[in-house]
Amino acid sequence: MSVEQGGRTKRYLQWCLAAVILVVVSVFGWIVFGPGPTDFAGGRHVTLASYQGQDPTGVPPALKAASAVERGEYLTRAADCEVCHTAKNGVPFAGGLAFVLPFGTLYSTKITPDSETGIGEYSDADFLGAVHKGVGRGHTPLYPAMPYASYTYMADADALAIKAYLFSLKPVHQAAPQNTLVFPFNQRALMRVWSLLFNTDKRFEPRVARSPKWNRGAYLVEALGHCGECHTPRNPFQALNNRAKFAGTVQAGWRAYNITPDPASGLGAWSDSEIARYLSLGHADGHGTATGPMGEAIDASLSYLAQTDITAMVAYLRSLPAIATADLPVANARPASSLHSEGVAATMNPQGKAVYEGACASCHGWSGISPVIPFATLTGARAVNDSTANNVAQVILSGARRAPRGDTANMPAFGGAYSDYEIANVANYVTARFGTQPSALTGERIAKLRAAD
Ligand code: HEC
Ligand code: HEC
Ligand code: HEC
């Protein structure tokens, strides 16, 4: 090889290397610097201070003159701080809820005003640091299980009203359980890097071309309700991928469905009032009942919101780009035959049918239209029209309690009563009988769902 040829080969290799680096950097940049939560709307956006329209932040009109503590209570509900900061059957806001992750367990902290084991020593600036930047007192970087990448859009005044409410609670003094995260995930400093890449650390900016109702809805959904934390798929770094905004994903073992306006797999076939009823009551006739984490969000948060706020959220959800999900077909809205011996499901899956007959039919009926209470009607529900049957299995394992308080029709947990195979079979029976696409759950899958709980 001549000297000249060698030089050319070297230059060629250098070009290749540069091209590879460029591709890697671009892919990384594409993932990291995705669109913000309301970028799909386009148009000009301005800071809250320079916005001329009606203020999209704060409490609804009826509460405007209330004390900071009362306003804070409403906003704490809207942001649902309680659900994560309360252990199962524990004192509200006293922390200790376990987040079981593939690399260990993280516990939520106490946010009652105890000065030693709670947030009693937090200054206003410390509190804003935790909510907006994910930095706890003493510059401790917080794990993004605390959804600060969503709360960062919250107005300062709203975050401080929440602080005023939390500081009005009785302090609870009790040491927090120790996290059991393994190396390198126990290195909090890494969260600084995550935050730098994935937390915009920006307050909500209204879109001037959009209506006041839309802007209020956007603020409630993005800054307070953090709906995307469950309904938006994540990128490989566990940050929200807004390119698939609200297209649905599995979060903590439950499938949070597609809530874009797609007619088949999203909310396109729901009327505005059906979505509003589902959000405030946890049930919409013909579309099913909220169970699992969505039931909890309704119990502790959405059921307390003013109707004007609920309808603003609906208006915002309606404006999202529609995205189709391949394995969520149009939900079957027709009741099944009321003859319990009919349908392929009965002949193909006799064990599933036997369990259904013994444990389920009394409340859910053979047609899928409940003879007992509309909350238990299965016809039309997304869960039975989801061919993974993920949430059907979860509801059978852990039960549900959306029916109005004190109602004896609430669904008991069957996790202890049946084997993994029986649960898989009855779930497959339910999707085959009442849904559009039968599921093929296995006992192994049920064992996994149990282990993750
Ligand atoms: C989705 C679950 C979740 C929600 C919702 C949530 N948090 Fe947290 N929060 C956590 C977890 C988990 C931690 C602990 C993070 C860590 O240890 O790094 C935490 C930590 C905190 C801390 C730091 C506490 C300390 O001990 O220094 C504060 C303050 C806080 N949260 C306030 C709030 C407020 C206010 C809200 C509602 C606006 C809220 N959280 C909603 C999960 C949540
Ligand atoms: C903690 C996780 C979580 C959060 C936060 C959450 N959701 Fe959900 N959502 C779910 C799950 C899981 C389901 C499925 C429930 C079921 O199968 O009964 C669901 C179901 C729904 C449905 C019904 C979809 C269907 O096809 O049946 C709507 C509508 C909805 N969520 C809207 C919202 C809105 C709006 C917010 C924010 C205010 C929100 N969700 C916040 C987890 C969540
Ligand atoms: C005591 C009455 C009762 C029994 C028994 C019962 N359920 Fe339920 N089920 C309900 C009610 C009521 C709901 C709605 C949630 C709530 O309010 O608790 C529900 C919800 C469901 C859902 C979710 C529906 C949706 O809209 O997403 C499924 C799936 C389900 N049940 C399947 C079963 C299966 C399978 C069995 C038997 C193993 C069973 N249920 C036994 C009352 C019952």
Side-chain angles (χ1 to χ4, degrees), residues 79-81 84-85 99 109 122 127 142-143 145-147 151 188:
D80 205 359
C81 311
C84 291
H85 283 279
F99 291 75
T109 49
Y122 265 66
F127 193 80
L142 299 175
Y143 288 95
M146 160 72 186
Y151 291 150
R188 280 187 180 271

Side-chain angles (χ1 to χ4, degrees), residues 126-312:
D126 290 337
F127 193 80
L128 292 177
V131 172
H132 289 154
K133 300 179 200 297
V135 180
R137 207 162 171 272
H139 307 292
T140 315
L142 299 175
Y143 288 95
M146 160 72 186
Y148 52 83
S150 296
Y151 291 150
T152 199
Y153 297 103
M154 205 187 292
D156 287 8
D158 288 354
L160 294 177
I162 290 177
K163 175 171 180 266
Y165 171 68
L166 294 174
F167 273 63
S168 77
L169 301 172
K170 207 168 139 255
V172 176
H173 186 90
Q174 116 203 333
Q178 282 294 315
N179 295 337
T180 60
L181 302 177
V182 298
F183 184 84
F185 301 100
N186 57 2
Q187 301 300 302
R188 280 187 180 271
L190 287 177
M191 296 308 124
R192 249 190 255 285
V193 181
W194 189 92
S195 185
L196 202 65
L197 292 173
F198 300 114
N199 180 19
T200 60
D201 191 11
K202 262 199 210 152
R203 305 301 87 80
F204 180 75
E205 297 198 339
R207 305 250 158 194
V208 285
R210 298 282 176 158
S211 68
K213 188 177 182 181
W214 185 93
N215 279 299
R216 174 68 178 164
Y219 183 72
L220 285 160
V221 164
E222 305 297 349
L224 297 173
H226 63 277
C227 316
E229 297 280 342
C230 293
H231 286 279
T232 297
R234 289 171 191 271
N235 71 19
F237 305 98
Q238 293 302 304
L240 301 185
N241 171 13
N242 283 319
R243 290 190 177 87
K245 191 177 174 63
F246 290 165
T249 186
V250 174
Q251 172 70 15
W254 287 77
R255 190 161 183 191
Y257 295 116
N258 183 332
I259 55 169
T260 74
D262 185 65
S265 46
L267 299 178
W270 300 43
S271 70
D272 284 2
S273 62
E274 284 170 340
I275 304 176
R277 281 179 70 77
Y278 183 93
L279 294 180
S280 33
L281 284 179
H283 171 83
D285 281 346
H287 300 290
T289 301
T291 56
M294 191 63 202
E296 287 170 16
I298 283 156
D299 278 339
S301 168
L302 298 167
S303 60
Y304 290 87
L305 299 195
Q307 273 311 299
T308 48
D309 277 350
I310 294 284
T311 53

Side-chain angles (χ1 to χ4, degrees), residues 427-439:
N428 292 336
Y429 178 78
V430 162
T431 53
R433 187 168 182 114
F434 306 113
T436 352
Q437 274 180 18
S439 55

Side-chain angles (χ1 to χ4, degrees), residues 55 98 122 227 250 313 341-342 352 361:
D55 186 1
Y122 265 66
C227 316
V250 174
M313 292 169 99
S341 58
E342 271 194 10

